[in-house]
């Protein structure tokens, strides 16, 4: 449950065709993608969802639907829509209360429901129900089934029942059992098998594994169908550590391995010994197995075995146990498992492996790491001096077949591999300090480094005889722990504690260069504590200071390789280069592989079989195997087995989250493109390879094409999150790369369209552009019309000035010339001319006043127009002693007239009033302005002499009035009769 299971009671496991793992638990159905579990809970009382109770069985049919068996019912679940449909169970009689339900699917896809204590029902797709159909499976009368299996060779159904075994042959619809056994099948005829069959399974080798329950205890059998013989392969199944148990089922791995499981039962068949081995280890937290009941075992597409128990799910891959661990050693005359406390390990020229421990002396193993005895410590000297059992370093002088073992307090053991005899010494000149390092130069000399910084040289010329001790002399003292010695050509590289790395000339016995953490950038070590040294080639040294330092000895440059470059841990204990040039690094939390060319790390931890870390010694065997030792045990592996040559599985999009709501990923992936509204612009896409074998060694890269130009490494989690995504067309791409740099064969893609808001859509932008264009055109037309209007005004003003002012001024000019000619000889005529000049001047001034008034914008309102009309009428009519009334409706004041209409209206009014004053000879006049039905009515009425409009000389005045009425788009009527007065009626459309 700590990993996300709804319950530790897991009854069933299924891997679907896509690769998802599905768990049927005591609290409902869950899906697992290798990273997280998704719970499918049902709303209360909703029959369309999977019940949240026990999911006892899961099967996938040929259409991709899941058969689910909750308590007391069976249903079909659609993993794409998450919908569940209960399937009816039609029985002809009452089902016993203690009956169990078990689904069984044949190789042809037919589905049966086995009801113990009752019978077997067939699923009828037409009625969507389980029905009793004897044509599908027949059983002898009153034979109640317990379990069933299918013979993969001929398709027969083997059915375990309470009275024994029954075999139904679908091809002939025959049923064979103890009372009908025409072929004399031994399992049907032998009375010892006329018992309840509680477990039944036929493997790929045509062996039938079954269990019967004759009385108190179970009986286990293996029957070879081909030879019709029992095989003695069931030994060990009774081993249950004196605890009661029941074997419920058998399981076969694709590689042929047979497993048995049940209540307190988990056994693996050992094909070499032809017996079962009990599997149970409660002492390794998280990586052992503990249970009371195993409900199911399945194999996924990567050959992992998934075990459903009452303590959760356990996963194991029997074909990928590449890290082999041993803590067995020969101790006090027997092979025993113990805490080895190894500090050093070597492979000797005789093929054996030797290890030095801190407290137990020397251990030895053969080439296959089987513990063997040795005589290294078989001496009274060793027994009397405890310092010889505290061993730190070991090295073989392969030329002389002598094994050097450095111990505490300056003790040294020389073990002759040929004579198997040891010599014990106390090395001089090192103040009885622990010998931490031993190595050999190309001249055969042996170099020793101590806990207190002594560097000793033993000259090979001294030999291993009586002058052995005289061969030592102190070459240098570094005043701190010498952690590592590495001879390269004529130089000795010395790693120390807190004083960095020294390059020591073995000929002159002088330090020629020191590397530490306070040098310039690019030439400094990460730390002054040098834990390990390894020569990679003729110019590169790898130096461990917690992190990895790559030292180029040609130019003294140093490259730091740490967490930013992918180093899994800053706790490097050991370094080994394999035959392919890769570095294997022992860490506190596992083993890492570093590929110097790709500059990539791969970490192997407890999930891969490296149970304990904190490695302190290492060895590259001649056959290519790598051996690491730690205080607990030895771990050995072949690096070639850990290389993955096959490409990784394709990445699957496992979930699609819109804001905080998950959408059905299967339904989304069926779409050609995912269309989102502009308000749905925060999404999270989750992905995985659905690989449960390499999930921790796979690197993922993703990119949203249309937003991002480069691949992004998914370091924080297997998801890509995008918030406030702008409208547009995108393609989400994701791929992966395994630990050996092989990319997934295809890039997984998902098209996403974030639709713009309507104001950003093409049709809206087009419409807006059209509206803008129309507006621009209207503005242009308005400006053009204004220009034309102004031009008309200017033209009219020019015409008026020319017609009125010009002709009048011309008349005045002529009259003035004539007056000048008559001024001296005809005073009367001159006076007449001057009077005419005065009249013309007055008319011209009046016309000029009308023009100026009409173009003045302040006179646009009807209030100003009516006021001027009243003023003009008063001035003209009162001068003629004509009584008049002037009425204006209030609605008239709300009208708007442009400059032309204003002028035309006023001039029509002015001409009519002038005519009234000059020719009507009236005493009373009535003037009114009204608005009726959106029409402006100007009415001028008098009680004068009148006239006959048909016979009257219209003259310029009446013609001008008609033209101005037409300009106003109105009508002008003159109603008059002799002696009846005159009425002038002007009707103008009002807007």
């Amino acid at each position: 449950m700590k990993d996300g299971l709804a319950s530790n009671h897991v009854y069933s496991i299924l891997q679907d065709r896509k690769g998802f793992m599905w768990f049927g638990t005591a609290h409902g159905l869950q899906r697992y993608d290798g990273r997280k579990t998704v719970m499918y809970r049902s709303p209360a009382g909703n029959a369309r969802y999977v019940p949240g109770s026990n999911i006892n069985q899961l099967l996938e049919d040929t259409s991709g639907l899941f058969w689910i068996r909750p308590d007391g019912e069976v249903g079909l679940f659609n993993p794409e829509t998450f919908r569940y449909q209960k399937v009816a169970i039609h029985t002809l009689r009452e089902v016993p209360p203690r009956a169990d339900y078990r689904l069984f699917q044949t190789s042809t896809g037919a589905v049966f429901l086995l009801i113990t204590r009752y019978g077997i029902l067939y699923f009828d797709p037409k009625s969507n129900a389980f029905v009793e159909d004897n044509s599908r499976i027949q059983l002898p009368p009153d034979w109640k089934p317990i379990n069933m299996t299918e013979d993969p060779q001929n398709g027969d159904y083997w059915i375990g029942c309470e009275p024994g075994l029954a075999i139904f042959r679908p091809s002939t619809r025959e049923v064979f059992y103890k009372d009908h056994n025409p072929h004399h099948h031994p399992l049907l005829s032998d009375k010892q098998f006329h018992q309840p069959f509680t477990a039944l399974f036929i493997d790929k080798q045509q062996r039938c594994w079954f269990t019967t329950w004759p009385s108190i205890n179970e009986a286990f059998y293996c029957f070879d169908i081909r030879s019709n013989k029992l095989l003695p392969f069931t030994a060990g199944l009774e081993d249950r550590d004196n605890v009661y148990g029941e074997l419920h089922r058998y399981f076969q791995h694709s590689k042929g391995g047979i497993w048995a499981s049940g209540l307190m039962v988990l056994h693996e068949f050992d094909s070499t010994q032809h017996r079962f081995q009990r599997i149970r280890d409660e002492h390794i937290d998280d990586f052992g197995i503990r249970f009371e009941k195993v409900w199911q075992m399945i194999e996924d597409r990567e050959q992992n075995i998934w075990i459903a128990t009452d303590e959760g799910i356990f996963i194991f891959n029997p074909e990928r146990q590449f890290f082999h661990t041993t803590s067995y050693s020969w101790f006090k005359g027997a092979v025993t498992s113990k805490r080895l406390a190894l500090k050093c390990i070597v492979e000797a020229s005789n093929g054996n492996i030797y290890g030095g421990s801190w407290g137990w002396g020397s251990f030895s193993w053969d080439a296959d790491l089987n513990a063997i005895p040795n005589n290294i410590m078989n001496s009274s000297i060793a027994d009397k001096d405890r310092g010889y059992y505290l061993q730190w370093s070991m090295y073989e002088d392969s030329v002389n077949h002598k094994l050097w073992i450095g111990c505490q307090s300056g003790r040294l053991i020389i073990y002759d591999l040929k004579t198997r005899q040891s010599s014990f010494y106390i090395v001089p000149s090192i103040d009885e300090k622990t010998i931490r390092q031993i190595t050999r130069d190309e001249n055969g000399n042996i170099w020793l480094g101590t806990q207190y910084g002594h560097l000793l040289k033993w000259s090979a010329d001294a030999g291993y005889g009586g002058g052995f001790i005289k061969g030592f002399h102190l070459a240098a003292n570094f005043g701190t722990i010498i952690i590592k010695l590495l001879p390269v050509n004529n130089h000795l590289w010395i790693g120390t504690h807190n004083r960095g790395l020294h390059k020591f000339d073995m000929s002159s016995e002088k330090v020629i260069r020191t590397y530490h953490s306070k040098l310039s950038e690019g030439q400094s070590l990460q730390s002054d504590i040098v834990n390990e040294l390894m020569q990679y080639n003729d110019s590169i040294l790898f130096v461990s200071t917690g992190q990895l330092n790559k030292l180029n000895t040609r130019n003294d440059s140093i490259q730091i390789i740490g967490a930013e470059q992918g180093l899994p841990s800053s706790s490097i204990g050991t370094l080994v280069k394999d035959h392919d040039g890769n570095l294997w690094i022992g860490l506190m939390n596992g083993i890492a592989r570093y590929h110097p060319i790709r500059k990539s790390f791969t970490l192997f931890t407890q999930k891969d079989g490296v149970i304990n870390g904190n490695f302190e010694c290492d060895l590259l065997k001649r056959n290519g195997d790598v051996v690491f030792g730690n205080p607990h045990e030895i771990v050995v592996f072949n690096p070639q087995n850990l290389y993955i040559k096959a490409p990784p599985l394709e990445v699957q999009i496992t979930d699609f989250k819109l804001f905080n709501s998950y959408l059905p990923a299967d339904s989304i992936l069926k779409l050609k493109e995912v269309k989102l509204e502009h308000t749905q612009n925060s999404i999270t896409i989750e992905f995985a390879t659905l690989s449960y074998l390499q999930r921790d060694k796979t690197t993922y890269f993703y990119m949203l094409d249309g937003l991002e130009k480069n691949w992004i490494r998914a370091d924080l989690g297997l998801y890509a999150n995008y918030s406030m995504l702008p409208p547009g067309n995108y393609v989400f791409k994701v791929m992966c790369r395994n630990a050996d740099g092989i990319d997934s064969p295809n890039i997984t893609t998902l098209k996403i369209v974030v639709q713009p808001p309507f104001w950003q859509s093409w049709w809206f932008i087009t419409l807006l552009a059209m509206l803008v264009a129309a507006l621009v055109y209207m503005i242009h037309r308005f400006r053009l019309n204004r220009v034309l209007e102004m031009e008309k005004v200017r033209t009219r003003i020019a015409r008026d000035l020319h017609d009125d002012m010009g002709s009048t001024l011309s008349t005045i000019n002529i009259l003035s010339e004539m007056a000048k000619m008559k001024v001296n000889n005809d005073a009367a005529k001159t006076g007449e001319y001057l009077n005419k000049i005065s009249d013309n001047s007055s008319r011209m001034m009046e016309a000029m006043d009308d023009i100026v008034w009409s173009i003045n914008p302040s006179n646009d309102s009807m209030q100003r127009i009516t006021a001027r009309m009243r003023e003009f009428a008063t001035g003209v009519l009162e001068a003629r002693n004509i009584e008049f009334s002037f009425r204006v409706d209030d609605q008239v004041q709300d009208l708007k007239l442009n400059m032309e209409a204003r002028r035309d209206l006023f001039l029509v009014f002015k001409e009519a009033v002038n005519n009234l004053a000059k020719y009507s000879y009236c005493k009373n006049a009535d003037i009114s302005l009204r608005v009726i039905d959106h029409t402006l009515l100007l009415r001028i009425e008098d009680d004068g002499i009148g006239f006959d409009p048909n016979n009257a000389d219209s003259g310029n005045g009446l013609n001008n009035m008609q033209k101005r009425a037409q300009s106003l788009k109105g009508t002008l009527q003159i109603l008059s009769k002799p002696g009846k007065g005159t009425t002038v009626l002007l009707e103008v459309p009002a807007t």
Side-chain angles (χ1 to χ4, degrees):
M1 291 178 63
K2 67 182 181 180
D3 301 310
L5 279 177
S7 169
N8 278 340
H9 287 261
V10 182
Y11 304 121
S12 54
I13 304 176
L14 166 71
Q15 184 174 37
D16 66 18
R17 59 188 60 188
K18 289 185 176 180
F20 287 105
M21 303 303 299
W22 296 80
F23 306 145
T25 75
H27 291 162
L29 180 66
Q30 287 185 280
R31 191 194 73 183
Y32 180 60
D33 61 12
R35 184 177 61 90
K36 73 176 189 310
T37 56
V38 177
M39 186 72 195
Y40 293 86
R41 295 188 182 276
S42 61
N46 195 328
R48 298 185 64 194
Y49 291 86
V50 178
S53 58
N54 297 337
I55 305 297
N56 296 298
Q57 197 172 358
L58 289 169
L59 293 174
E60 184 178 22
D61 67 13
T62 55
S63 64
L65 299 178
F66 293 175
W67 285 95
I68 295 183
R69 183 169 60 82
D71 285 336
E73 67 179 71
V74 177
L76 282 169
F77 173 74
N78 190 326
E80 294 183 0
T81 62
F82 310 149
R83 292 297 180 264
Y84 171 79
Q85 181 183 7
K86 187 176 178 180
V87 176
I89 302 174
H90 294 159
T91 56
L92 300 179
R93 59 190 187 278
E94 185 178 358
V95 176
R98 293 181 59 193
D100 290 331
Y101 292 79
R102 297 171 185 173
L103 289 167
F104 178 76
Q105 188 175 28
T106 70
S107 58
T108 61
V111 178
F112 294 92
L113 179 63
L114 186 151
I115 306 177
T116 64
R117 304 173 184 267
Y118 184 88
I120 300 175
L121 278 65
Y122 165 72
F123 175 70
D124 181 16
K126 294 182 179 179
S127 61
N128 193 39
F130 284 99
V131 297
E132 297 187 35
D133 187 349
N134 289 332
S135 67
R136 299 288 179 174
I137 291 184
Q138 296 179 14
L139 285 177
D142 299 325
W143 278 50
K144 305 299 186 290
I146 301 174
N147 48 53
M148 64 186 294
T149 188
E150 182 179 9
D151 187 335
Q153 295 295 322
N154 58 21
D156 288 352
Y157 301 151
W158 291 46
I159 307 170
C161 303
E162 292 179 1
L165 176 66
I167 300 176
F168 178 73
R169 182 159 293 166
S171 59
T172 62
R173 296 185 179 178
E174 292 182 275
V175 59
F176 309 109
Y177 59 106
K178 63 181 180 179
D179 297 329
H180 178 66
N181 188 14
H183 304 293
H184 306 289
H185 198 294
L187 293 185
L188 305 182
S189 59
D190 195 329
K191 291 185 178 180
Q192 71 170 324
F193 303 123
H194 298 168
Q195 306 291 341
F197 273 58
T198 56
L200 184 62
F201 176 72
I202 299 176
D203 66 17
K204 298 174 183 177
Q205 290 76 31
Q206 284 286 284
R207 296 175 300 189
C208 180
W209 303 82
F210 63 96
T211 303
T212 66
W213 203 297
S215 56
I216 299 176
N217 297 319
E218 296 171 296
F220 314 106
Y221 302 95
C222 178
F223 178 75
D224 191 315
I225 298 175
R226 293 170 180 170
S227 64
N228 280 341
K229 293 182 180 180
L230 289 174
L231 303 176
F233 290 171
T234 59
L237 285 173
E238 70 283 350
D239 179 15
R240 297 167 186 176
D241 199 19
N242 297 320
V243 177
Y244 174 79
E246 298 175 4
L247 195 159
H248 292 160
R249 61 192 57 83
Y250 293 91
F251 162 78
Q252 185 174 30
H253 190 261
S254 60
K255 295 297 183 179
I258 298 293
W259 298 70
S261 63
L263 177 63
M264 297 303 296
V265 175
L266 181 60
H267 290 66
E268 181 186 13
F269 181 66
D270 188 333
S271 59
T272 59
Q273 300 184 24
H274 293 160
R275 62 177 291 117
F276 280 87
Q277 301 288 343
R278 183 169 180 262
I279 306 297
R280 190 175 179 89
D281 190 346
E282 299 183 353
H283 305 292
I284 304 177
D285 292 342
D286 293 333
F287 299 97
I289 184 168
R290 55 197 174 276
F291 59 89
E292 288 190 10
K293 190 167 186 178
V294 174
W295 296 98
Q296 186 184 14
M297 297 178 67
I298 74 159
E299 179 184 355
D300 68 15
R301 60 186 180 183
E302 295 176 293
Q303 300 177 346
N304 300 307
I305 294 177
W306 297 67
I307 308 174
T309 76
D310 58 347
E311 291 288 343
I313 297 173
F314 297 89
I315 309 170
F316 172 69
N317 194 308
E319 300 301 315
R320 293 191 63 83
Q321 302 302 303
F322 297 136
F323 292 93
H324 303 285
T325 301
T326 181
S327 58
Y328 286 97
S329 62
W330 195 278
F331 187 71
K332 294 184 178 181
V335 176
T336 182
S337 177
K338 62 191 289 93
R339 190 176 186 272
L340 297 178
L342 287 177
K343 292 294 184 182
C344 53
I345 188 169
V346 297
E347 182 182 26
S349 54
N350 62 7
N352 294 334
I353 296 173
Y354 295 88
S357 72
W358 194 251
W360 302 108
S362 301
F363 298 127
S364 56
W365 299 270
D366 64 16
D368 296 323
L369 286 180
N370 298 308
I372 57 175
N374 63 72
N375 296 324
I376 295 176
M377 309 303 295
N378 190 14
S379 168
S380 59
I381 297 178
D383 292 337
K384 292 178 182 178
D385 193 335
R386 185 63 185 165
Y388 288 109
Y389 285 88
L390 299 171
Q391 300 175 0
W392 197 284
S393 55
M394 189 175 285
Y395 186 83
E396 183 193 5
D397 179 358
S398 57
V399 175
N400 298 294
H401 304 288
K402 303 290 186 181
L403 190 64
W404 289 58
I405 305 173
C407 309
Q408 191 183 35
S409 302
R411 272 57 177 169
L412 176 66
I413 303 173
I414 304 296
Y415 179 65
D416 192 312
L417 295 171
K418 291 184 176 180
T419 64
R420 299 183 181 180
Q421 296 296 317
S422 297
S423 301
F424 300 88
Y425 302 97
I426 298 177
V427 178
S429 303
I430 60 173
D431 303 324
E432 296 190 2
K433 302 306 178 183
T434 300
I435 301 173
R436 291 283 301 253
Q437 282 288 301
I438 304 175
T439 191
R440 177 180 179 274
D441 63 26
E442 58 185 9
N443 297 318
N445 303 314
I446 304 296
W447 296 81
L448 284 69
T450 75
Q451 181 80 6
Y452 278 69
H454 306 89
L455 178 64
L456 268 74
K457 176 183 178 181
W458 178 80
S459 176
D461 296 337
Y464 289 95
F468 175 77
I469 289 295
K470 294 180 181 180
F472 289 97
H473 81 276
L474 184 64
N477 193 331
F478 292 89
T480 186
I481 304 172
I482 293 179
I483 302 177
K484 187 70 177 179
L485 295 177
L486 177 65
V488 179
N489 298 327
N490 195 40
H491 297 117
L492 185 64
W493 293 85
I494 305 171
T496 67
H497 179 79
N498 265 341
R499 291 193 176 177
L501 175 65
H502 304 275
K503 185 178 182 181
F504 185 81
D505 186 284
M506 291 186 287
S507 299
S508 64
E509 297 186 359
K510 292 182 179 180
V511 175
I512 59 176
R513 184 172 177 84
T514 299
Y515 302 85
H516 51 78
S517 61
K518 298 179 178 59
L519 296 175
S520 60
E521 185 177 356
Q523 292 186 322
S524 293
L525 295 174
Q526 180 266 337
S527 167
D528 291 333
I529 301 176
V530 177
N531 298 314
E532 182 65 293
L533 295 173
M534 191 204 71
Q535 182 182 8
Y536 186 76
N537 54 34
D538 59 354
S539 61
I540 299 297
L541 291 182
F542 280 99
V543 184
S544 165
T545 60
Q547 298 187 27
L548 202 58
N549 302 258
K550 184 179 180 181
L551 170 61
N552 189 322
T553 58
R554 292 181 178 175
N555 56 20
D556 292 327
S557 64
I558 296 177
Q559 177 188 353
I560 308 297
I561 304 172
E564 293 182 357
Q565 289 74 35
L567 181 66
S569 171
S570 297
S571 60
I572 297 175
T574 58
L575 287 174
V576 173
K577 184 181 79 168
D578 66 17
H579 291 168
D580 294 316
N582 294 319
L583 269 63
W584 292 89
I585 307 171
L587 304 168
M588 290 185 65
N589 60 333
I591 296 173
R593 181 183 64 197
Y594 178 62
H595 195 293
I597 297 176
R598 288 198 304 266
K599 300 180 180 179
S600 62
F601 287 90
T602 304
L603 180 63
F604 301 90
T605 63
Q606 292 176 321
K607 294 180 180 180
D608 304 288
V610 185
I611 303 301
N612 297 301
N614 196 24
F615 295 100
E616 297 187 18
C617 56
D618 57 62
L619 167 66
L620 177 65
K621 294 177 64 179
R622 285 184 284 271
N623 66 357
D625 288 352
V626 174
V627 181
F628 281 156
N630 61 27
H632 299 276
E633 70 261 320
I634 293 174
V635 179
V636 59
F637 59 93
N638 187 327
Q640 288 293 328
N641 293 333
L642 296 169
Y643 299 141
I644 306 171
K645 299 179 177 60
L649 299 175
E650 289 187 15
V651 182
Q652 299 282 339
I653 294 177
T654 58
D655 281 300
F656 189 94
K657 189 163 64 172
L658 181 61
F659 291 101
N660 291 319
S661 300
Y662 282 96
L663 303 180
D666 290 331
S667 300
I668 285 178
L669 293 176
K670 285 186 175 181
L671 302 173
K672 291 184 178 179
E673 58 186 20
V674 180
K675 290 186 177 181
L676 303 173
E677 298 295 333
H678 71 281
T679 55
Q680 300 173 317
N681 57 354
S682 291
I683 61 175
T684 301
I685 303 172
E686 300 180 5
F687 45 82
T689 59
L690 302 185
S691 169
Y692 309 98
L693 183 64
Q694 296 295 326
R695 60 184 180 185
D696 298 324
K697 298 171 182 61
T698 303
T699 306
Y700 294 83
F701 302 89
Y702 66 88
M703 175 176 64
L704 188 62
D705 196 1
L707 182 69
E708 298 159 338
K709 296 183 178 179
N710 299 314
W711 289 97
I712 299 172
R713 177 170 171 162
D715 289 327
L716 299 178
L718 301 187
Y719 63 88
N721 183 52
Y722 299 98
S723 13
M724 305 304 292
L725 202 58
N729 296 330
Y730 305 97
V731 178
F732 179 75
K733 300 179 180 179
V734 60
M735 58 166 287
C736 67
R737 180 176 298 152
N738 67 16
D740 291 291
I742 303 175
D743 292 342
S744 52
N746 297 307
I747 296 175
T748 302
T749 61
L750 178 64
K751 293 183 179 180
I752 301 171
V753 177
V754 179
Q755 301 184 89
F758 73 90
W759 59 85
Q760 292 182 5
S761 60
W762 67 268
W763 60 267
F764 183 83
I765 294 174
T766 302
L767 179 60
L768 187 62
M770 293 174 64
L771 291 175
V772 170
L775 181 61
V776 170
Y777 177 74
M778 290 174 63
I779 293 174
H780 171 70
R781 290 297 304 174
F782 176 77
R783 293 181 61 187
L784 183 60
N785 290 337
R786 294 289 295 176
V787 170
L788 293 175
E789 287 180 4
M790 290 297 297
E791 188 66 26
K792 287 173 63 179
V793 170
R794 293 172 62 185
T795 302
R796 183 181 59 79
I797 293 174
R799 185 184 66 245
D800 290 347
L801 290 175
H802 177 270
D803 293 345
D804 294 340
M805 302 298 107
S807 61
T808 303
L809 289 174
S810 297
T811 302
I812 292 173
N813 183 49
I814 292 171
L815 291 172
S816 64
E817 290 295 330
M818 294 176 66
K820 285 195 295 182
M821 293 173 60
K822 302 291 185 178
V823 67
N824 294 323
N825 53 14
D826 191 349
K829 202 64 173 178
T830 299
E832 182 183 348
Y833 291 152
L834 291 176
N835 287 333
K836 289 182 178 181
I837 289 173
S838 176
D839 291 340
N840 284 314
S841 298
S842 297
R843 285 197 308 270
M844 186 177 66
M845 291 176 62
E846 186 177 342
M848 190 66 185
D849 182 61
D850 290 341
I851 293 173
V852 172
W853 180 87
S854 65
I855 65 176
N856 188 348
S858 62
N859 297 321
D860 286 350
S861 66
M862 288 299 296
Q863 188 176 1
R864 289 293 187 95
I865 297 173
T866 56
R868 182 171 176 82
M869 294 168 70
R870 186 188 298 273
E871 180 184 358
F872 177 79
T874 301
V876 173
L877 298 179
E878 285 184 354
R880 300 296 179 102
N881 294 320
I882 299 174
E883 295 291 333
F884 73 98
S885 63
F886 193 96
R887 297 187 305 275
V888 179
D889 288 355
D890 292 338
Q891 293 175 316
V892 174
Q893 308 298 339
D894 298 330
L895 297 180
K896 295 289 185 183
L897 296 178
N898 59 32
M899 181 180 66
E900 286 289 325
R902 186 170 66 246
R903 182 170 181 272
D904 288 335
L905 176 63
F906 180 74
L907 291 179
V908 169
F909 170 79
K910 182 178 178 181
E911 188 69 29
V913 171
N914 277 330
N915 289 339
L916 182 152
K918 290 181 180 180
Y919 308 116
S920 68
Y921 300 102
C922 66
K923 294 182 179 180
N924 299 290
D926 184 61
I927 303 171
S928 64
L929 278 170
R930 293 182 298 164
V931 175
I932 300 176
D933 294 334
H934 304 289
T935 302
L936 174 64
L937 299 177
L938 172 63
R939 187 183 184 91
I940 304 173
E941 186 176 4
D942 65 64
D943 58 358
I945 62 175
F947 67 99
D948 184 1
N950 296 323
N951 297 320
D953 182 9
S954 59
N956 290 332
L958 293 178
N959 288 334
N960 288 336
M961 289 175 65
Q962 287 292 348
K963 290 180 180 179
R964 297 189 188 279
Q966 292 174 4
S967 297
L968 290 169
K969 297 181 181 179
T971 60
L972 178 67
Q973 299 183 51
I974 300 176
L975 306 175
S976 181
K977 289 182 179 180
K980 298 294 185 179
T982 303
T983 300
V984 178
L985 183 62
L986 175 66
E987 296 182 7
V988 179
T991 58

